Amino acid sequence: MTITVNGVDELRKLVGGDLGTSEWIEVTQERVNTFAEATGDHQWIHVDVEKAARGPFGAPIAHGYLTLSLFIPLFTGLLDVRGVTTKVNYGLNKVRFPSPVKVGSRIRLVAKLAEVLDVPGGVQVVVDGTIEIEGVGKPAAVLQSLSRFYV
């Protein structure tokens, strides 16, 4: 369920609170191959299905940065901030990939709003996120994301 806020003042009231859990997204081989084409990262553990099945993970796995890039569509399903003109990715404070995402797995985001800081022209939003893999005890990614929302 998406939380909708009207403006940065309402957003500030959510600091320290959970933003919820996103819907699941399936990580398909087609998505992995498309990411490999876009980035030039064709390592066999991602794109060679037969060889990857014999490899250390028993199946092809998603690129770590593909998993990370899925933060945005997962996050936008959790929080809708209205009353701002522009939303931009500002970076990451930290990110780790504790568990590989096997092709065919489903992932989702659990997020908490850590901070809303004033910056010239708007606010910087700090989100603590965990990307979970369905049926797997360790998360795919643990991260702290920075976004800027300009008014």
Side-chain angles (χ1 to χ4, degrees), residues 15-134:
V15 171
D18 291 330
L19 296 175
T21 302
S22 73
E23 298 293 324
W24 292 103
I25 291 179
E26 183 178 358
V27 179
T28 64
Q29 188 64 55
E30 180 181 8
R31 187 184 296 262
V32 170
N33 292 346
T34 300
F35 188 85
E37 285 299 316
T39 62
D41 182 351
H42 298 279
Q43 186 179 17
W44 65 268
I45 61 172
H46 307 303
V47 298
D48 187 331
V49 175
E50 291 178 17
K51 187 173 180 180
R54 297 186 308 272
F57 305 109
I61 62 169
H63 304 73
Y65 286 115
L66 168 56
T67 302
L68 182 60
S69 73
L70 293 173
F71 172 82
I72 295 300
L74 293 167
F75 179 69
T76 57
L78 294 179
L79 182 64
D80 179 21
V81 180
R82 297 184 179 168
V84 297
T85 61
T86 307
K87 301 173 189 175
V88 296
N89 174 6
Y90 193 67
L92 301 162
N93 281 338
K94 53 188 164 185
V95 63
R96 295 290 183 269
F97 302 109
S99 187
V101 177
K102 292 181 181 180
V103 167
S105 297
R106 295 191 326 156
I107 61 172
R108 68 180 180 186
L109 173 66
V110 178
K112 178 179 179 177
L113 183 59
E115 291 182 286
V116 175
L117 307 165
D118 290 322
V119 296
V123 295
Q124 181 167 288
V125 177
V126 181
V127 174
D128 292 329
T130 301
I131 298 177
E132 300 177 334
I133 309 166
E134 187 175 37

Side-chain angles (χ1 to χ4, degrees), residues 2-11 79-87 149-151:
T2 305
I3 297 171
T4 301
V5 297
N6 293 303
V8 295
D9 289 335
E10 283 187 23
L11 181 63
L79 182 64
D80 179 21
V81 180
R82 297 184 179 168
V84 297
T85 61
T86 307
K87 301 173 189 175
F149 296 174
Y150 295 99
V151 293

